[in-house]
Amino acid sequence: MTAQQPLAVGLIGAGRMGSFHAETLAHRLPGVRLAAIADPAPGAAQRLGDRLGCATTYTDIGELLTAPHLDGVVIATPARTHAGLVEAAAKAGKAVYCEKPMAVTLAEADRAIAAAADAGVPLQVGFNRRYDPGFRAAHEKIAAGAISTPQLLRSLTRDPELADPARIPPWTIFLETLIHDFDVLGHLNPGAEPVEVSAMADALVRPDFKDRGLLDTAVVTIRFDNGALATAEASFQAVYGYDVRAEVLGSTGMLTMGDIRRTHLTAYGPDGVTAECVTYDQHLFHDAYVAELADFTDSVRTGRTPSATGEDARAALSIALAAIESVTSGGPVRVGKPRDL
Ligand SMILES: NC(=O)c1ccc[n+]([C@@H]2O[C@H](COP(=O)([O-])OP(=O)(O)OC[C@H]3O[C@@H](n4cnc5c(N)ncnc54)[C@H](O)[C@@H]3O)[C@@H](O)[C@H]2O)c1
């Protein structure tokens, strides 16, 4: 890469999220080029490449990882493949952006972080809420002392629909959904460390899948070392839309963020007041998803640390693992050294 040449980034995983990131790399970021795509599903990488004008496609991920012309890679494969791919990409000298969760055990999180540090490459994780204007402004205000000491925090995620319960691996609600909320709660309580976690979870949307390990509804409470108390909750089915919100009550004020309204239109009629809801993550977080890759590519160019790191991923994972342990044991779990899965 020189000052004149665009940054060459490869994509691994040409599914729903990977396709959005590929479009961002191909069209939405000046000075960035979608230079290769890899996906083991026959034809997946090539179809996406054809659509976006990327001629270099692979079904063998290893070929992309060793391709010499790439400055960085974006990983958007299923969760349990992430840590190994981060490690392999870093060892191949590539800067890494990885979708959340970066890892599902602390041991593999540590290996991924160490691989990036040893290779001297940036490692960014897909905690897109940090890049949403409301969440970003809240973090900046809290860090600047605008509401003094955070005392009570909450974060929630509700997906609109549980389409295919058979495809959801065990503990997904903690490892893949609430992982965002755990990150948000730490980000909105800067400098504080979680010390105790309790969790309850059940299959309320699809009770018929509970005996196959599905948990689709969960509430988690977290105590932080600055005294703040927090709740995170998630549901895989909120019939009205894709609902992501957070709130922080501090000793001198309160901040709320997240808005499910799709537009600023509010319709008033004989039956009452209505507004259209967001029903899709790529609508709610369109700009945040673009901003996180802008941050990543800027980090690759400048060498600065990205705004959501491997350590941040590990911190959120440690809460997720404690929540899982709490559901299993039925009691509160001290955070610090939670048991790996
Ligand atoms: N940040 C967010 O808000 C957000 C939203 C959606 C998805 N995600 C994350 O993005 C990732 C992908 O989710 P998705 O919804 O795009 O899934 P998806 O199933 O649509 O796509 C996954 C792709 O990975 C490929 N793949 C399967 N096994 C692979 C392997 N072993 N190695 C490499 N590629 C493999 C599949 O062929 C598929 O094309 C997940 O980690 C998910 O948590 C994040």
Side-chain angles (χ1 to χ4, degrees), residues 248-286:
V248 185
L249 175 67
S251 50
T252 58
M254 197 259 288
L255 301 171
T256 70
M257 62 232 78
D259 187 349
I260 195 167
R261 283 173 300 177
R262 175 111 200 236
T263 70
H264 293 298
L265 175 70
T266 310
Y268 298 76
D271 297 327
V273 182
T274 57
E276 195 186 351
C277 289
V278 176
T279 55
Y280 193 43
D281 52 4
Q282 292 178 10
H283 294 156
L284 186 62
F285 286 121
H286 180 285

PDB file of all heavy atoms in Angstrom, residues 248-286:
ATOM      1  N   VAL A 248     -28.722   5.208  30.907  1.00  0.00           N
ATOM      2  CA  VAL A 248     -27.792   5.325  32.037  1.00  0.00           C
ATOM      3  C   VAL A 248     -28.298   6.419  32.969  1.00  0.00           C
ATOM      4  O   VAL A 248     -28.462   7.569  32.554  1.00  0.00           O
ATOM      5  CB  VAL A 248     -26.360   5.685  31.569  1.00  0.00           C
ATOM      6  CG1 VAL A 248     -25.411   5.678  32.770  1.00  0.00           C
ATOM      7  CG2 VAL A 248     -25.872   4.707  30.514  1.00  0.00           C
ATOM      8  N   LEU A 249     -28.565   6.036  34.201  1.00  0.00           N
ATOM      9  CA  LEU A 249     -28.911   7.011  35.229  1.00  0.00           C
ATOM     10  C   LEU A 249     -27.654   7.303  36.034  1.00  0.00           C
ATOM     11  O   LEU A 249     -27.053   6.391  36.622  1.00  0.00           O
ATOM     12  CB  LEU A 249     -30.000   6.449  36.151  1.00  0.00           C
ATOM     13  CG  LEU A 249     -30.363   7.333  37.346  1.00  0.00           C
ATOM     14  CD1 LEU A 249     -31.030   8.631  36.907  1.00  0.00           C
ATOM     15  CD2 LEU A 249     -31.266   6.575  38.317  1.00  0.00           C
ATOM     16  N   GLY A 250     -27.248   8.566  36.019  1.00  0.00           N
ATOM     17  CA  GLY A 250     -26.091   8.967  36.810  1.00  0.00           C
ATOM     18  C   GLY A 250     -26.526   9.822  37.977  1.00  0.00           C
ATOM     19  O   GLY A 250     -27.711  10.162  38.117  1.00  0.00           O
ATOM     20  N   SER A 251     -25.557  10.204  38.804  1.00  0.00           N
ATOM     21  CA  SER A 251     -25.918  10.959  40.012  1.00  0.00           C
ATOM     22  C   SER A 251     -26.395  12.369  39.694  1.00  0.00           C
ATOM     23  O   SER A 251     -27.041  12.995  40.527  1.00  0.00           O
ATOM     24  CB  SER A 251     -24.727  10.991  40.980  1.00  0.00           C
ATOM     25  OG  SER A 251     -23.561  11.400  40.295  1.00  0.00           O
ATOM     26  N   THR A 252     -26.119  12.884  38.476  1.00  0.00           N
ATOM     27  CA  THR A 252     -26.614  14.226  38.139  1.00  0.00           C
ATOM     28  C   THR A 252     -27.373  14.258  36.819  1.00  0.00           C
ATOM     29  O   THR A 252     -27.504  15.312  36.199  1.00  0.00           O
ATOM     30  CB  THR A 252     -25.448  15.251  38.054  1.00  0.00           C
ATOM     31  OG1 THR A 252     -24.517  14.797  37.062  1.00  0.00           O
ATOM     32  CG2 THR A 252     -24.751  15.402  39.387  1.00  0.00           C
ATOM     33  N   GLY A 253     -27.886  13.118  36.345  1.00  0.00           N
ATOM     34  CA  GLY A 253     -28.658  13.163  35.108  1.00  0.00           C
ATOM     35  C   GLY A 253     -28.869  11.779  34.532  1.00  0.00           C
ATOM     36  O   GLY A 253     -28.433  10.779  35.105  1.00  0.00           O
ATOM     37  N   MET A 254     -29.564  11.757  33.406  1.00  0.00           N
ATOM     38  CA  MET A 254     -29.907  10.474  32.790  1.00  0.00           C
ATOM     39  C   MET A 254     -29.764  10.604  31.277  1.00  0.00           C
ATOM     40  O   MET A 254     -30.088  11.648  30.693  1.00  0.00           O
ATOM     41  CB  MET A 254     -31.358  10.130  33.170  1.00  0.00           C
ATOM     42  CG  MET A 254     -31.740   8.677  32.963  1.00  0.00           C
ATOM     43  SD  MET A 254     -32.691   8.361  31.491  1.00  0.00           S
ATOM     44  CE  MET A 254     -34.270   9.072  31.890  1.00  0.00           C
ATOM     45  N   LEU A 255     -29.280   9.564  30.640  1.00  0.00           N
ATOM     46  CA  LEU A 255     -29.145   9.546  29.179  1.00  0.00           C
ATOM     47  C   LEU A 255     -29.882   8.314  28.659  1.00  0.00           C
ATOM     48  O   LEU A 255     -29.779   7.240  29.244  1.00  0.00           O
ATOM     49  CB  LEU A 255     -27.675   9.445  28.773  1.00  0.00           C
ATOM     50  CG  LEU A 255     -26.741  10.560  29.253  1.00  0.00           C
ATOM     51  CD1 LEU A 255     -25.284  10.190  28.965  1.00  0.00           C
ATOM     52  CD2 LEU A 255     -27.095  11.881  28.577  1.00  0.00           C
ATOM     53  N   THR A 256     -30.607   8.482  27.560  1.00  0.00           N
ATOM     54  CA  THR A 256     -31.211   7.320  26.913  1.00  0.00           C
ATOM     55  C   THR A 256     -30.765   7.305  25.465  1.00  0.00           C
ATOM     56  O   THR A 256     -30.491   8.355  24.879  1.00  0.00           O
ATOM     57  CB  THR A 256     -32.759   7.353  26.945  1.00  0.00           C
ATOM     58  OG1 THR A 256     -33.221   8.383  26.079  1.00  0.00           O
ATOM     59  CG2 THR A 256     -33.286   7.558  28.342  1.00  0.00           C
ATOM     60  N   MET A 257     -30.677   6.130  24.902  1.00  0.00           N
ATOM     61  CA  MET A 257     -30.286   6.024  23.491  1.00  0.00           C
ATOM     62  C   MET A 257     -30.990   4.847  22.832  1.00  0.00           C
ATOM     63  O   MET A 257     -31.380   3.904  23.514  1.00  0.00           O
ATOM     64  CB  MET A 257     -28.766   5.963  23.329  1.00  0.00           C
ATOM     65  CG  MET A 257     -28.090   4.794  23.955  1.00  0.00           C
ATOM     66  SD  MET A 257     -26.691   5.187  25.049  1.00  0.00           S
ATOM     67  CE  MET A 257     -27.448   5.713  26.550  1.00  0.00           C
ATOM     68  N   GLY A 258     -31.136   4.964  21.494  1.00  0.00           N
ATOM     69  CA  GLY A 258     -31.847   3.938  20.733  1.00  0.00           C
ATOM     70  C   GLY A 258     -33.262   4.396  20.450  1.00  0.00           C
ATOM     71  O   GLY A 258     -33.922   4.951  21.324  1.00  0.00           O
ATOM     72  N   ASP A 259     -33.691   4.181  19.208  1.00  0.00           N
ATOM     73  CA  ASP A 259     -35.025   4.630  18.805  1.00  0.00           C
ATOM     74  C   ASP A 259     -35.511   3.689  17.724  1.00  0.00           C
ATOM     75  O   ASP A 259     -34.868   3.544  16.692  1.00  0.00           O
ATOM     76  CB  ASP A 259     -34.946   6.061  18.262  1.00  0.00           C
ATOM     77  CG  ASP A 259     -36.317   6.645  17.973  1.00  0.00           C
ATOM     78  OD1 ASP A 259     -37.320   5.895  17.993  1.00  0.00           O
ATOM     79  OD2 ASP A 259     -36.386   7.861  17.711  1.00  0.00           O
ATOM     80  N   ILE A 260     -36.617   3.037  17.969  1.00  0.00           N
ATOM     81  CA  ILE A 260     -37.101   2.042  17.016  1.00  0.00           C
ATOM     82  C   ILE A 260     -37.866   2.658  15.851  1.00  0.00           C
ATOM     83  O   ILE A 260     -38.139   1.983  14.862  1.00  0.00           O
ATOM     84  CB  ILE A 260     -37.975   0.992  17.729  1.00  0.00           C
ATOM     85  CG1 ILE A 260     -38.160  -0.220  16.815  1.00  0.00           C
ATOM     86  CG2 ILE A 260     -39.300   1.592  18.176  1.00  0.00           C
ATOM     87  CD1 ILE A 260     -38.716  -1.414  17.483  1.00  0.00           C
ATOM     88  N   ARG A 261     -38.144   3.961  15.909  1.00  0.00           N
ATOM     89  CA  ARG A 261     -38.912   4.553  14.806  1.00  0.00           C
ATOM     90  C   ARG A 261     -38.081   4.580  13.525  1.00  0.00           C
ATOM     91  O   ARG A 261     -36.939   5.033  13.539  1.00  0.00           O
ATOM     92  CB  ARG A 261     -39.371   5.962  15.178  1.00  0.00           C
ATOM     93  CG  ARG A 261     -40.560   5.944  16.130  1.00  0.00           C
ATOM     94  CD  ARG A 261     -40.876   7.305  16.612  1.00  0.00           C
ATOM     95  NE  ARG A 261     -39.713   7.872  17.328  1.00  0.00           N
ATOM     96  CZ  ARG A 261     -39.678   9.100  17.824  1.00  0.00           C
ATOM     97  NH1 ARG A 261     -40.714   9.890  17.687  1.00  0.00           N
ATOM     98  NH2 ARG A 261     -38.601   9.542  18.450  1.00  0.00           N
ATOM     99  N   ARG A 262     -38.654   4.113  12.436  1.00  0.00           N
ATOM    100  CA  ARG A 262     -37.915   4.028  11.169  1.00  0.00           C
ATOM    101  C   ARG A 262     -37.687   5.411  10.575  1.00  0.00           C
ATOM    102  O   ARG A 262     -36.669   5.672   9.952  1.00  0.00           O
ATOM    103  CB  ARG A 262     -38.734   3.149  10.204  1.00  0.00           C
ATOM    104  CG  ARG A 262     -38.153   3.056   8.804  1.00  0.00           C
ATOM    105  CD  ARG A 262     -37.633   1.681   8.509  1.00  0.00           C
ATOM    106  NE  ARG A 262     -36.697   1.723   7.400  1.00  0.00           N
ATOM    107  CZ  ARG A 262     -36.800   1.021   6.302  1.00  0.00           C
ATOM    108  NH1 ARG A 262     -37.810   0.189   6.172  1.00  0.00           N
ATOM    109  NH2 ARG A 262     -35.894   1.092   5.357  1.00  0.00           N
ATOM    110  N   THR A 263     -38.678   6.305  10.733  1.00  0.00           N
ATOM    111  CA  THR A 263     -38.546   7.669  10.216  1.00  0.00           C
ATOM    112  C   THR A 263     -39.057   8.626  11.296  1.00  0.00           C
ATOM    113  O   THR A 263     -39.510   8.200  12.356  1.00  0.00           O
ATOM    114  CB  THR A 263     -39.397   7.878   8.948  1.00  0.00           C
ATOM    115  OG1 THR A 263     -40.776   7.860   9.341  1.00  0.00           O
ATOM    116  CG2 THR A 263     -39.135   6.822   7.903  1.00  0.00           C
ATOM    117  N   HIS A 264     -38.999   9.915  10.987  1.00  0.00           N
ATOM    118  CA  HIS A 264     -39.534  10.899  11.936  1.00  0.00           C
ATOM    119  C   HIS A 264     -41.039  11.094  11.744  1.00  0.00           C
ATOM    120  O   HIS A 264     -41.633  11.962  12.382  1.00  0.00           O
ATOM    121  CB  HIS A 264     -38.811  12.239  11.759  1.00  0.00           C
ATOM    122  CG  HIS A 264     -37.363  12.160  12.164  1.00  0.00           C
ATOM    123  ND1 HIS A 264     -36.976  11.858  13.449  1.00  0.00           N
ATOM    124  CD2 HIS A 264     -36.221  12.298  11.451  1.00  0.00           C
ATOM    125  CE1 HIS A 264     -35.658  11.829  13.508  1.00  0.00           C
ATOM    126  NE2 HIS A 264     -35.177  12.081  12.316  1.00  0.00           N
ATOM    127  N   LEU A 265     -41.628  10.301  10.857  1.00  0.00           N
ATOM    128  CA  LEU A 265     -43.070  10.462  10.610  1.00  0.00           C
ATOM    129  C   LEU A 265     -43.891   9.864  11.752  1.00  0.00           C
ATOM    130  O   LEU A 265     -43.684   8.712  12.137  1.00  0.00           O
ATOM    131  CB  LEU A 265     -43.459   9.756   9.305  1.00  0.00           C
ATOM    132  CG  LEU A 265     -44.961   9.750   9.002  1.00  0.00           C
ATOM    133  CD1 LEU A 265     -45.451  11.155   8.641  1.00  0.00           C
ATOM    134  CD2 LEU A 265     -45.292   8.780   7.880  1.00  0.00           C
ATOM    135  N   THR A 266     -44.809  10.653  12.266  1.00  0.00           N
ATOM    136  CA  THR A 266     -45.789  10.153  13.227  1.00  0.00           C
ATOM    137  C   THR A 266     -47.161  10.440  12.632  1.00  0.00           C
ATOM    138  O   THR A 266     -47.436  11.579  12.232  1.00  0.00           O
ATOM    139  CB  THR A 266     -45.650  10.871  14.584  1.00  0.00           C
ATOM    140  OG1 THR A 266     -44.278  10.836  14.974  1.00  0.00           O
ATOM    141  CG2 THR A 266     -46.493  10.185  15.651  1.00  0.00           C
ATOM    142  N   ALA A 267     -47.985   9.397  12.504  1.00  0.00           N
ATOM    143  CA  ALA A 267     -49.297   9.558  11.850  1.00  0.00           C
ATOM    144  C   ALA A 267     -50.398   9.591  12.911  1.00  0.00           C
ATOM    145  O   ALA A 267     -50.445   8.722  13.787  1.00  0.00           O
ATOM    146  CB  ALA A 267     -49.529   8.409  10.880  1.00  0.00           C
ATOM    147  N   TYR A 268     -51.255  10.592  12.817  1.00  0.00           N
ATOM    148  CA  TYR A 268     -52.357  10.753  13.764  1.00  0.00           C
ATOM    149  C   TYR A 268     -53.650  10.471  13.028  1.00  0.00           C
ATOM    150  O   TYR A 268     -53.887  11.020  11.945  1.00  0.00           O
ATOM    151  CB  TYR A 268     -52.383  12.184  14.322  1.00  0.00           C
ATOM    152  CG  TYR A 268     -51.138  12.544  15.104  1.00  0.00           C
ATOM    153  CD1 TYR A 268     -49.948  12.845  14.442  1.00  0.00           C
ATOM    154  CD2 TYR A 268     -51.139  12.558  16.499  1.00  0.00           C
ATOM    155  CE1 TYR A 268     -48.800  13.153  15.155  1.00  0.00           C
ATOM    156  CE2 TYR A 268     -50.003  12.870  17.214  1.00  0.00           C
ATOM    157  CZ  TYR A 268     -48.830  13.173  16.541  1.00  0.00           C
ATOM    158  OH  TYR A 268     -47.688  13.464  17.241  1.00  0.00           O
ATOM    159  N   GLY A 269     -54.501   9.600  13.555  1.00  0.00           N
ATOM    160  CA  GLY A 269     -55.755   9.253  12.884  1.00  0.00           C
ATOM    161  C   GLY A 269     -56.818   8.915  13.903  1.00  0.00           C
ATOM    162  O   GLY A 269     -56.587   8.981  15.116  1.00  0.00           O
ATOM    163  N   PRO A 270     -57.986   8.505  13.390  1.00  0.00           N
ATOM    164  CA  PRO A 270     -59.102   8.227  14.313  1.00  0.00           C
ATOM    165  C   PRO A 270     -58.791   7.083  15.284  1.00  0.00           C
ATOM    166  O   PRO A 270     -59.371   7.017  16.371  1.00  0.00           O
ATOM    167  CB  PRO A 270     -60.260   7.858  13.373  1.00  0.00           C
ATOM    168  CG  PRO A 270     -59.659   7.629  12.038  1.00  0.00           C
ATOM    169  CD  PRO A 270     -58.377   8.363  11.980  1.00  0.00           C
ATOM    170  N   ASP A 271     -57.847   6.189  14.888  1.00  0.00           N
ATOM    171  CA  ASP A 271     -57.530   5.067  15.778  1.00  0.00           C
ATOM    172  C   ASP A 271     -56.346   5.359  16.699  1.00  0.00           C
ATOM    173  O   ASP A 271     -55.900   4.483  17.447  1.00  0.00           O
ATOM    174  CB  ASP A 271     -57.225   3.812  14.954  1.00  0.00           C
ATOM    175  CG  ASP A 271     -58.437   3.374  14.155  1.00  0.00           C
ATOM    176  OD1 ASP A 271     -59.563   3.575  14.656  1.00  0.00           O
ATOM    177  OD2 ASP A 271     -58.261   2.854  13.039  1.00  0.00           O
ATOM    178  N   GLY A 272     -55.762   6.548  16.581  1.00  0.00           N
ATOM    179  CA  GLY A 272     -54.655   6.874  17.476  1.00  0.00           C
ATOM    180  C   GLY A 272     -53.419   7.365  16.732  1.00  0.00           C
ATOM    181  O   GLY A 272     -53.515   7.835  15.595  1.00  0.00           O
ATOM    182  N   VAL A 273     -52.274   7.196  17.357  1.00  0.00           N
ATOM    183  CA  VAL A 273     -51.012   7.709  16.842  1.00  0.00           C
ATOM    184  C   VAL A 273     -50.127   6.529  16.457  1.00  0.00           C
ATOM    185  O   VAL A 273     -49.971   5.592  17.242  1.00  0.00           O
ATOM    186  CB  VAL A 273     -50.295   8.543  17.935  1.00  0.00           C
ATOM    187  CG1 VAL A 273     -49.003   9.125  17.419  1.00  0.00           C
ATOM    188  CG2 VAL A 273     -51.215   9.641  18.449  1.00  0.00           C
ATOM    189  N   THR A 274     -49.556   6.544  15.254  1.00  0.00           N
ATOM    190  CA  THR A 274     -48.705   5.424  14.830  1.00  0.00           C
ATOM    191  C   THR A 274     -47.387   5.926  14.230  1.00  0.00           C
ATOM    192  O   THR A 274     -47.309   7.045  13.721  1.00  0.00           O
ATOM    193  CB  THR A 274     -49.399   4.543  13.764  1.00  0.00           C
ATOM    194  OG1 THR A 274     -49.748   5.371  12.645  1.00  0.00           O
ATOM    195  CG2 THR A 274     -50.617   3.845  14.324  1.00  0.00           C
ATOM    196  N   ALA A 275     -46.367   5.078  14.324  1.00  0.00           N
ATOM    197  CA  ALA A 275     -45.075   5.341  13.681  1.00  0.00           C
ATOM    198  C   ALA A 275     -44.553   4.012  13.161  1.00  0.00           C
ATOM    199  O   ALA A 275     -44.817   2.963  13.757  1.00  0.00           O
ATOM    200  CB  ALA A 275     -44.094   5.934  14.684  1.00  0.00           C
ATOM    201  N   GLU A 276     -43.816   4.052  12.064  1.00  0.00           N
ATOM    202  CA  GLU A 276     -43.285   2.814  11.487  1.00  0.00           C
ATOM    203  C   GLU A 276     -42.041   2.376  12.270  1.00  0.00           C
ATOM    204  O   GLU A 276     -41.172   3.205  12.578  1.00  0.00           O
ATOM    205  CB  GLU A 276     -42.912   3.068  10.023  1.00  0.00           C
ATOM    206  CG  GLU A 276     -42.693   1.799   9.239  1.00  0.00           C
ATOM    207  CD  GLU A 276     -42.185   2.069   7.822  1.00  0.00           C
ATOM    208  OE1 GLU A 276     -42.168   3.244   7.406  1.00  0.00           O
ATOM    209  OE2 GLU A 276     -41.776   1.101   7.160  1.00  0.00           O
ATOM    210  N   CYS A 277     -41.960   1.081  12.575  1.00  0.00           N
ATOM    211  CA  CYS A 277     -40.812   0.561  13.339  1.00  0.00           C
ATOM    212  C   CYS A 277     -39.733  -0.003  12.411  1.00  0.00           C
ATOM    213  O   CYS A 277     -40.041  -0.544  11.347  1.00  0.00           O
ATOM    214  CB  CYS A 277     -41.259  -0.574  14.254  1.00  0.00           C
ATOM    215  SG  CYS A 277     -42.267  -0.044  15.634  1.00  0.00           S
ATOM    216  N   VAL A 278     -38.486   0.072  12.855  1.00  0.00           N
ATOM    217  CA  VAL A 278     -37.386  -0.627  12.182  1.00  0.00           C
ATOM    218  C   VAL A 278     -37.561  -2.122  12.423  1.00  0.00           C
ATOM    219  O   VAL A 278     -37.834  -2.548  13.542  1.00  0.00           O
ATOM    220  CB  VAL A 278     -36.027  -0.186  12.764  1.00  0.00           C
ATOM    221  CG1 VAL A 278     -34.904  -0.981  12.133  1.00  0.00           C
ATOM    222  CG2 VAL A 278     -35.809   1.295  12.574  1.00  0.00           C
ATOM    223  N   THR A 279     -37.397  -2.917  11.363  1.00  0.00           N
ATOM    224  CA  THR A 279     -37.530  -4.365  11.530  1.00  0.00           C
ATOM    225  C   THR A 279     -36.261  -5.113  11.106  1.00  0.00           C
ATOM    226  O   THR A 279     -36.254  -6.340  11.066  1.00  0.00           O
ATOM    227  CB  THR A 279     -38.711  -4.904  10.706  1.00  0.00           C
ATOM    228  OG1 THR A 279     -38.517  -4.505   9.345  1.00  0.00           O
ATOM    229  CG2 THR A 279     -40.035  -4.387  11.218  1.00  0.00           C
ATOM    230  N   TYR A 280     -35.174  -4.365  10.792  1.00  0.00           N
ATOM    231  CA  TYR A 280     -33.997  -5.022  10.233  1.00  0.00           C
ATOM    232  C   TYR A 280     -32.739  -4.335  10.765  1.00  0.00           C
ATOM    233  O   TYR A 280     -32.640  -3.104  10.726  1.00  0.00           O
ATOM    234  CB  TYR A 280     -34.068  -4.926   8.704  1.00  0.00           C
ATOM    235  CG  TYR A 280     -33.105  -5.801   7.962  1.00  0.00           C
ATOM    236  CD1 TYR A 280     -32.883  -7.115   8.339  1.00  0.00           C
ATOM    237  CD2 TYR A 280     -32.420  -5.306   6.854  1.00  0.00           C
ATOM    238  CE1 TYR A 280     -31.998  -7.914   7.652  1.00  0.00           C
ATOM    239  CE2 TYR A 280     -31.531  -6.102   6.147  1.00  0.00           C
ATOM    240  CZ  TYR A 280     -31.318  -7.410   6.552  1.00  0.00           C
ATOM    241  OH  TYR A 280     -30.441  -8.207   5.878  1.00  0.00           O
ATOM    242  N   ASP A 281     -31.777  -5.155  11.219  1.00  0.00           N
ATOM    243  CA  ASP A 281     -30.567  -4.565  11.808  1.00  0.00           C
ATOM    244  C   ASP A 281     -29.815  -3.665  10.823  1.00  0.00           C
ATOM    245  O   ASP A 281     -29.258  -2.633  11.202  1.00  0.00           O
ATOM    246  CB  ASP A 281     -29.653  -5.664  12.378  1.00  0.00           C
ATOM    247  CG  ASP A 281     -29.335  -6.796  11.408  1.00  0.00           C
ATOM    248  OD1 ASP A 281     -29.749  -6.735  10.234  1.00  0.00           O
ATOM    249  OD2 ASP A 281     -28.663  -7.766  11.840  1.00  0.00           O
ATOM    250  N   GLN A 282     -29.806  -4.047   9.541  1.00  0.00           N
ATOM    251  CA  GLN A 282     -29.032  -3.264   8.577  1.00  0.00           C
ATOM    252  C   GLN A 282     -29.711  -1.939   8.236  1.00  0.00           C
ATOM    253  O   GLN A 282     -29.103  -1.078   7.589  1.00  0.00           O
ATOM    254  CB  GLN A 282     -28.753  -4.091   7.319  1.00  0.00           C
ATOM    255  CG  GLN A 282     -27.792  -5.236   7.631  1.00  0.00           C
ATOM    256  CD  GLN A 282     -27.486  -6.141   6.459  1.00  0.00           C
ATOM    257  OE1 GLN A 282     -27.833  -5.840   5.319  1.00  0.00           O
ATOM    258  NE2 GLN A 282     -26.838  -7.260   6.730  1.00  0.00           N
ATOM    259  N   HIS A 283     -30.962  -1.776   8.658  1.00  0.00           N
ATOM    260  CA  HIS A 283     -31.590  -0.459   8.562  1.00  0.00           C
ATOM    261  C   HIS A 283     -31.265   0.355   9.807  1.00  0.00           C
ATOM    262  O   HIS A 283     -30.855   1.513   9.717  1.00  0.00           O
ATOM    263  CB  HIS A 283     -33.113  -0.595   8.392  1.00  0.00           C
ATOM    264  CG  HIS A 283     -33.504  -1.227   7.089  1.00  0.00           C
ATOM    265  ND1 HIS A 283     -34.693  -1.876   6.883  1.00  0.00           N
ATOM    266  CD2 HIS A 283     -32.820  -1.335   5.915  1.00  0.00           C
ATOM    267  CE1 HIS A 283     -34.745  -2.350   5.651  1.00  0.00           C
ATOM    268  NE2 HIS A 283     -33.621  -2.039   5.049  1.00  0.00           N
ATOM    269  N   LEU A 284     -31.430  -0.263  10.976  1.00  0.00           N
ATOM    270  CA  LEU A 284     -31.180   0.477  12.222  1.00  0.00           C
ATOM    271  C   LEU A 284     -29.723   0.921  12.315  1.00  0.00           C
ATOM    272  O   LEU A 284     -29.427   2.039  12.730  1.00  0.00           O
ATOM    273  CB  LEU A 284     -31.535  -0.400  13.436  1.00  0.00           C
ATOM    274  CG  LEU A 284     -31.450   0.297  14.792  1.00  0.00           C
ATOM    275  CD1 LEU A 284     -32.422   1.461  14.881  1.00  0.00           C
ATOM    276  CD2 LEU A 284     -31.709  -0.683  15.931  1.00  0.00           C
ATOM    277  N   PHE A 285     -28.807   0.031  11.942  1.00  0.00           N
ATOM    278  CA  PHE A 285     -27.384   0.317  12.159  1.00  0.00           C
ATOM    279  C   PHE A 285     -26.607   0.533  10.860  1.00  0.00           C
ATOM    280  O   PHE A 285     -25.381   0.382  10.850  1.00  0.00           O
ATOM    281  CB  PHE A 285     -26.751  -0.816  12.972  1.00  0.00           C
ATOM    282  CG  PHE A 285     -27.154  -0.784  14.426  1.00  0.00           C
ATOM    283  CD1 PHE A 285     -27.807  -1.859  15.002  1.00  0.00           C
ATOM    284  CD2 PHE A 285     -26.901   0.336  15.203  1.00  0.00           C
ATOM    285  CE1 PHE A 285     -28.178  -1.823  16.338  1.00  0.00           C
ATOM    286  CE2 PHE A 285     -27.268   0.389  16.546  1.00  0.00           C
ATOM    287  CZ  PHE A 285     -27.915  -0.699  17.114  1.00  0.00           C
ATOM    288  N   HIS A 286     -27.305   0.883   9.799  1.00  0.00           N
ATOM    289  CA  HIS A 286     -26.622   1.073   8.507  1.00  0.00           C
ATOM    290  C   HIS A 286     -25.382   1.961   8.653  1.00  0.00           C
ATOM    291  O   HIS A 286     -24.263   1.580   8.294  1.00  0.00           O
ATOM    292  CB  HIS A 286     -27.607   1.687   7.501  1.00  0.00           C
ATOM    293  CG  HIS A 286     -27.026   1.919   6.142  1.00  0.00           C
ATOM    294  ND1 HIS A 286     -26.142   2.957   5.857  1.00  0.00           N
ATOM    295  CD2 HIS A 286     -27.168   1.234   4.979  1.00  0.00           C
ATOM    296  CE1 HIS A 286     -25.789   2.901   4.593  1.00  0.00           C
ATOM    297  NE2 HIS A 286     -26.386   1.862   4.032  1.00  0.00           N
TER     298      HIS A 286
END
